[in-house]
Amino acid sequence: MNNNMTDILEQYIMNLFNEATEDHIIIKRSNVAQKFDCVPSQLNYVIKTRFTPEHGFIIESKRGGGGFIRITKITLHKNKDYIDYLIETIDNEILEVDEAMRIAKILLEKEYIDKFDYNHFIDSVEIVTEVHNQFLEHIDDNSAEEMISKTKANLKDLTIRFLTNIKYNKRG
């Protein structure tokens, strides 16, 4: 994936939002691909990695000849709204390690947390993951499946506690 093309496509989409009069934009995959002389999968990659709910966007996609992608910007009025949104989203799904780390990175970039809080959270996730991986080598498949499930539940709990702490420790 050409990193430069990824940035160009992201900037194009952000410009569409800046010019939009509503909280959403609708684009045709094929038109954008043709405009930038790239394959539609490059556009899909940009949308899946840079316009996620964690970044404040909801994606609706319709495939086929009349296909389109609708990107809606989630309007959050206060920082607490965003943290509440993350807590609710995480609480309703299985959380993978890379997702937890990506959320922490976004929180750092958006200045919800400082570098100390970020490092503390990442270290905690890495310790949980390391212990988990050490045990997996020494147990049978059924026990391994159970342990993987419990580790994901613990990771979800750790992340929700982290977000709850941020929510109640921030002013505003």
Side-chain angles (χ1 to χ4, degrees):
M1 174 68 53
N2 181 338
N3 219 7
N4 193 27
M5 182 54 71
T6 303
D7 294 338
I8 290 167
L9 291 169
E10 177 185 24
Q11 191 56 54
Y12 172 73
I13 293 170
M14 292 307 291
N15 288 343
L16 290 177
F17 266 110
N18 292 338
E19 297 166 7
T21 56
E22 298 183 43
D23 66 350
H24 70 275
I25 60 168
I26 296 174
I27 56 177
K28 283 188 69 95
R29 205 179 267 105
S30 56
N31 292 357
V32 175
Q34 189 175 9
K35 178 180 176 95
F36 290 99
D37 192 28
C38 67
V39 293
S41 63
Q42 284 182 299
L43 179 60
N44 290 346
Y45 174 81
V46 170
I47 290 169
K48 285 181 182 173
T49 59
R50 302 196 181 181
F51 292 91
T52 62
E54 293 88 3
H55 285 97
F57 297 93
I58 296 173
I59 305 300
E60 298 168 72
S61 180
K62 181 179 180 288
R63 297 198 181 274
F68 65 88
I69 300 170
R70 178 203 289 266
I71 305 172
T72 304
K73 194 172 203 170
I74 302 167
T75 306
L76 302 165
H77 303 291
K78 299 181 299 203
N79 288 351
K80 285 183 183 175
D81 290 345
Y82 180 64
I83 300 297
D84 284 339
Y85 170 79
L86 285 176
I87 290 169
E88 186 177 313
T89 302
I90 290 166
D91 201 27
N92 293 323
E93 62 184 44
I94 295 168
L95 187 65
E96 301 288 341
V97 171
D98 57 338
E99 292 173 276
M101 295 212 177
R102 188 173 66 239
I103 289 168
K105 186 173 184 221
I106 292 166
L107 290 170
L108 177 65
E109 289 169 357
K110 292 184 180 245
E111 298 179 352
Y112 284 88
I113 59 174
D114 59 23
K115 190 74 173 165
F116 177 83
D117 292 333
Y118 171 80
N119 288 336
H120 184 73
F121 179 75
I122 295 301
D123 288 347
S124 300
V125 170
E126 286 175 349
I127 288 169
V128 168
T129 306
E130 194 175 303
V131 169
H132 165 87
N133 290 338
Q134 286 173 356
F135 278 104
L136 281 182
E137 297 171 14
H138 306 289
I139 58 178
D140 63 87
D141 287 349
N142 287 341
S143 297
E145 278 186 37
E146 188 178 326
M147 185 171 181
I148 289 168
S149 177
K150 286 184 179 181
T151 299
K152 287 181 181 182
N154 287 338
L155 177 61
K156 181 195 301 194
D157 186 49
L158 173 72
T159 305
I160 289 173
R161 286 178 186 203
F162 178 67
L163 290 168
T164 302
N165 280 334
I166 292 168
K167 177 181 170 179
Y168 291 111
N169 287 323
K170 295 287 179 197
R171 291 164 185 71

